[in-house]
């Protein structure tokens, strides 16, 4: 059983507005994808979230997005490749500065929302994102979606010397190509905790999932995205952590 890192989008509060149960979910994850102020978060939230991650020994990842607070970064926006790289450098640098003030550094990058989806659908945009990471710090891994065939993305990462961490989801349905089923379709999101835990273990073992059309789907993933939006999701993360620990124990 491979060591599957649990990652969670976190630090997405803003001012006096709170989103997510960051303190409750942090003890169970390996990687914290911290919002960098463009879709959520602000300097104080970033500082507090970095401190919380450090107190639990959790890796800190930059979670950059399109400049869209109102839309929570979930709306596609038109940027040139250079503008996209500027957005990434600005946000990674902001979080990295807050980390450095606490004796730490950003450990990886995971784009958020529409930026993440758009780079998976558009090879030119994926290239711009990979190039942005490479020019900021080639040692930073880039997190992106695991699909049925990761080879094209892997070749692009190799071209720029950027390590890729392929990400899977325990609570989402997949189509036959290994893409997430649209949230607009029934059954796209799993709500049954037992089903979520079983999907997490299936991915960790490297076994096949069942795609939405009934076909077998193999996902080669390094990390699993989990959520801490509410008490039930935190409980599910805790159970996933316990199940993964039991499965990987000698």
């Amino acid at each position: 059983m491979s060591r599957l890192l649990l990652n969670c989008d976190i630090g997405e509060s803003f001012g006096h507005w709170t989103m997510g149960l960051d303190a409750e979910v942090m003890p169970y994850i390996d990687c914290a994808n911290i919002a960098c102020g463009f879709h959520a978060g602000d300097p104080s939230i970033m500082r507090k979230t970095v401190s919380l991650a450090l107190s639990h020994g959790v890796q800190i990842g930059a979670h950059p997005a399109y400049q869209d607070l109102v839309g929570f970064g979930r709306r596609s926006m038109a940027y040139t490749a250079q503008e996209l790289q500027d957005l990434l450098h600005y946000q990674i640098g902001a979080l990295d500065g807050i980390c450095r003030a606490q004796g730490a550094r950003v450990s990886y990058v995971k784009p958020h929302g529409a930026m993440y989806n758009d780079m998976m659908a558009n090879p030119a945009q994926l290239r711009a994102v990979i190039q942005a990471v490479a020019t900021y710090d080639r040692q930073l891994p880039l997190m992106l979606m695991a699909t049925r065939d990761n080879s094209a993305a892997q070749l692009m990462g190799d071209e720029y010397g950027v390590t890729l961490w392929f990400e899977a989801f325990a609570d989402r349905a997949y189509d036959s190509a290994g893409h997430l089923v649209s949230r607009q379709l029934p059954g796209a999101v799993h709500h049954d905790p037992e089903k979520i835990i079983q999907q997490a273990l299936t991915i960790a073992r490297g076994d096949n999932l069942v795609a939405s059309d009934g076909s077998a789907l193999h996902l080669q993933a390094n990390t699993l995205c989990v959520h801490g939006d509410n008490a039930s999701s935190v409980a599910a993360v805790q159970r996933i952590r316990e199940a993964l620990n039991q499965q990987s124990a000698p």
Side-chain angles (χ1 to χ4, degrees):
M1 185 149 177
S2 63
R3 168 67 169 149
L4 193 66
L5 300 174
L6 298 186
N7 79 81
C8 185
D9 298 347
I10 214 159
E12 293 183 319
S13 300
F14 185 78
H16 294 293
W17 180 77
T18 300
M19 179 174 181
L21 300 176
D22 293 359
E24 288 80 358
V25 77
M26 193 72 81
Y28 305 111
I29 63 175
D30 302 292
C31 302
N33 318 318
I34 299 179
C36 300
F38 273 29
H39 78 282
D42 58 46
S44 294
I45 296 295
M46 292 162 71
R47 174 185 54 78
K48 293 173 185 176
T49 310
V50 165
S51 179
L52 180 64
L54 292 175
S55 71
H56 289 280
V58 172
Q59 293 191 65
I60 295 167
H63 197 39
Y66 293 144
Q67 195 166 15
D68 183 23
L69 274 175
V70 173
F72 199 68
R74 289 178 174 167
R75 301 180 292 190
S76 292
M77 304 180 76
Y79 290 97
T80 66
Q82 184 60 63
E83 288 171 337
L84 188 59
Q85 291 180 48
D86 294 342
L87 285 180
L88 286 159
H89 289 163
Y90 186 96
Q91 293 175 81
I92 298 168
L95 182 63
D96 202 29
I98 288 173
C99 287
R100 287 170 65 93
Q102 299 190 46
R105 295 295 302 269
V106 165
S107 297
Y108 65 93
V109 177
K110 178 190 172 181
H112 164 82
M115 182 187 290
Y116 183 95
N117 292 329
D118 291 347
M119 78 180 193
M120 295 307 304
N122 183 343
Q125 183 150 335
L126 178 59
R127 179 176 293 276
V129 171
I130 291 175
Q131 189 172 8
V133 173
T135 52
Y136 184 87
D137 183 350
R138 192 170 276 105
Q139 300 304 310
L140 294 179
L142 172 66
M143 199 178 290
L144 72 168
M145 190 184 300
T147 64
R148 181 180 290 277
D149 184 1
N150 299 331
S151 59
Q154 187 62 66
L155 284 172
M156 201 177 294
D158 292 345
E159 179 183 344
Y160 288 94
V162 172
T163 299
L164 302 181
W165 287 353
F166 290 99
E167 175 186 41
F169 297 80
D171 62 349
R172 295 295 302 275
Y174 284 88
D175 66 19
S176 59
H179 298 143
L180 298 179
V181 172
S182 170
R183 288 179 180 270
Q184 306 302 316
L185 298 176
V189 180
H190 304 324
H191 298 288
D192 180 355
E194 296 302 325
K195 186 170 186 177
I196 293 170
I197 292 165
Q198 287 307 309
Q199 183 156 311
L201 291 175
T202 298
I203 294 167
R205 289 192 300 262
D207 294 341
N208 290 334
L209 299 175
V210 178
S212 57
D213 66 351
S215 63
L217 172 66
H218 177 71
L219 294 178
Q220 187 171 346
N222 310 106
T223 183
L224 186 75
C225 183
V226 295
H227 299 99
D229 303 319
N230 53 63
S232 62
S233 64
V234 173
V237 174
Q238 181 178 1
R239 292 186 62 192
I240 289 171
R241 167 57 67 204
E242 291 170 351
L244 291 178
N245 288 347
Q246 290 171 4
Q247 288 285 340
S248 60

